[in-house]
């Protein structure tokens, strides 16, 4: 239909714009493990302020697939640094050891890495980026990275016995999740990103058993300030997933911010040339400063 064609054309143009920027090299890189993907890139704030800057931790998207690494989100990281933030851009293992990059995620390695990175981050930031204020840390992520951001902030409410469970909440000012895959049951029903959520958990045979350890909509309330930013015209991770998470939070007695952007698709949220990216930076600033 013509409307569908127009929406697809707009989505393609938005994706092309977001991926058109040259990757921005970090100021420093530190390892949090021995695997080549267990690294964090650091970007110093590009402002002259003498005081330490809030630290924004970025988790990139790409449906947890190996072919999408952290480099595609480095222009967004640089954009935040130019807004006065210190930035940590986290890499993690994606895909599977036997795949060519089409399989989504590794169980349990993807979760192992995000947990290890967040645990190591305060010390690494203090050593690598002295201008980063780890007492004012905001976690953000896009798409699959938005899921990981929500999950990382909820580790203290994981089921008892989970290897990633923490005794205390993460030391975060808050979470800003950008078009997150935030409800796995609905994502599976809608086959979001080629049914990536099911693949991440190891396929249909493991989906139900592993869901309580991975689905942010089941890990509520967290007690951590959380905002979702969602394009209403998103064809990749549609608005109902954000709505479902906000509804689940409300039922759990927690208020979650939900910023819906009209006529915005999936990729403008991380595109420094898009107005939506400025909205994202402002949502982060409201939590960080």
């Amino acid at each position: 239909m013509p409307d569908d064609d127009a929406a697809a054309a707009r989505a393609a143009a938005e994706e092309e714009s977001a991926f058109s920027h040259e990757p921005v090299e970090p100021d420093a890189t530190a390892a949090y493990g021995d695997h080549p993907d267990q690294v964090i890139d650091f970007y110093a704030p590009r402002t002259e302020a003498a005081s330490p800057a809030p630290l924004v931790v970025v988790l990139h998207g790409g449906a947890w697939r190996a072919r999408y690494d952290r480099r595609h989100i480095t222009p967004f990281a640089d954009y935040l640094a130019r807004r006065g933030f210190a930035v940590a851009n986290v890499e993690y293992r994606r895909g599977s050891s036997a795949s060519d990059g089409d399989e989504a995620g590794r169980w349990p390695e993807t979760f192992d890495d995000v947990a290890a990175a967040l645990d190591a981050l305060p010390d690494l930031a203090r050593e690598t980026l002295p201008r980063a204020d780890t007492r004012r840390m905001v976690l953000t992520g896009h798409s699959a990275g938005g899921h990981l951001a929500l999950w990382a902030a909820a580790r203290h409410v994981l089921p008892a016995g989970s290897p990633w469970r923490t005794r205390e909440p993460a030391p975060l000012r808050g979470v800003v999740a950008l078009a997150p895959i935030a409800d796995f049951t609905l994502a599976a029903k809608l086959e979001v990103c080629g049914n990536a959520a099911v693949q991440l958990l190891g396929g249909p045979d493991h989906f139900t058993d592993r869901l309580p350890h991975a689905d942010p909509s089941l890990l509520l309330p967290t007690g951590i300030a959380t905002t979702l930013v969602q394009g209403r015209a998103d064809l990749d991770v549609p608005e109902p997933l954000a709505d479902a998470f906000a509804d689940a939070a409300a039922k759990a007695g927690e208020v979650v911010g939900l910023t819906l952007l009209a006529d915005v698709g999936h990729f403008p949220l991380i595109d420094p040339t898009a107005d939506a990216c400025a909205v994202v930076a402002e949502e982060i600033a409201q939590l960080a400063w």
Side-chain angles (χ1 to χ4, degrees), residues 181-208:
I181 303 177
D183 184 306
F184 274 18
T185 299
L186 182 57
K189 180 179 179 180
L190 299 178
E191 298 185 351
V192 169
C193 298
N195 230 358
V198 176
Q199 294 175 23
L200 174 66
L201 300 194
D205 291 344
H206 299 289
F207 184 74
T208 301

Side-chain angles (χ1 to χ4, degrees), residues 4-196:
D4 292 339
D5 291 342
R10 180 171 62 183
E14 289 175 341
E15 181 174 1
E16 182 179 4
S17 177
F19 281 84
S20 68
H21 311 294
E22 289 294 324
V24 179
E25 293 300 319
D27 295 303
T29 300
Y32 63 87
D34 296 331
H35 192 277
D37 286 334
Q38 293 174 323
V39 294
I40 303 172
D41 288 340
F42 290 96
Y43 295 79
R46 310 302 192 212
T47 57
E48 298 300 324
S51 59
L55 178 62
V56 181
V57 184
V58 176
L59 291 161
H60 71 82
W64 310 284
R65 292 191 167 99
R67 64 178 180 270
Y68 298 105
D69 63 19
R70 71 192 185 281
R71 288 182 65 80
H72 79 268
I73 209 167
T74 60
F76 174 72
D78 177 68
Y79 175 83
L80 294 176
R82 288 186 280 112
R83 300 283 290 240
F85 297 106
V87 182
N89 185 18
V90 177
E91 189 58 278
Y92 53 89
R93 282 174 285 182
R94 309 159 317 283
S96 68
S97 58
S99 77
D100 61 2
D102 287 331
E103 195 74 13
R106 300 190 198 185
W107 180 278
E109 290 90 344
T110 297
F111 296 91
D112 287 344
D113 286 0
V114 173
L118 269 292
D119 290 345
L121 188 56
D123 288 341
L124 290 178
R126 283 190 286 267
E127 296 168 3
T128 308
L129 204 63
R131 288 185 62 192
D133 185 353
T134 57
R135 296 168 301 175
R136 292 185 291 165
M137 189 159 58
V138 175
L139 188 56
T140 190
H142 178 241
S143 193
H147 156 263
L148 293 172
L150 294 171
W151 177 84
R155 288 171 58 202
H156 59 293
V157 295
L158 282 167
S162 169
W164 308 296
R165 183 182 169 100
T166 57
R167 295 180 62 181
E168 302 291 337
L172 298 171
R173 281 286 184 91
V175 179
V176 179
L178 315 177
I181 303 177
D183 184 306
F184 274 18
T185 299
L186 182 57
K189 180 179 179 180
L190 299 178
E191 298 185 351
V192 169
C193 298
N195 230 358

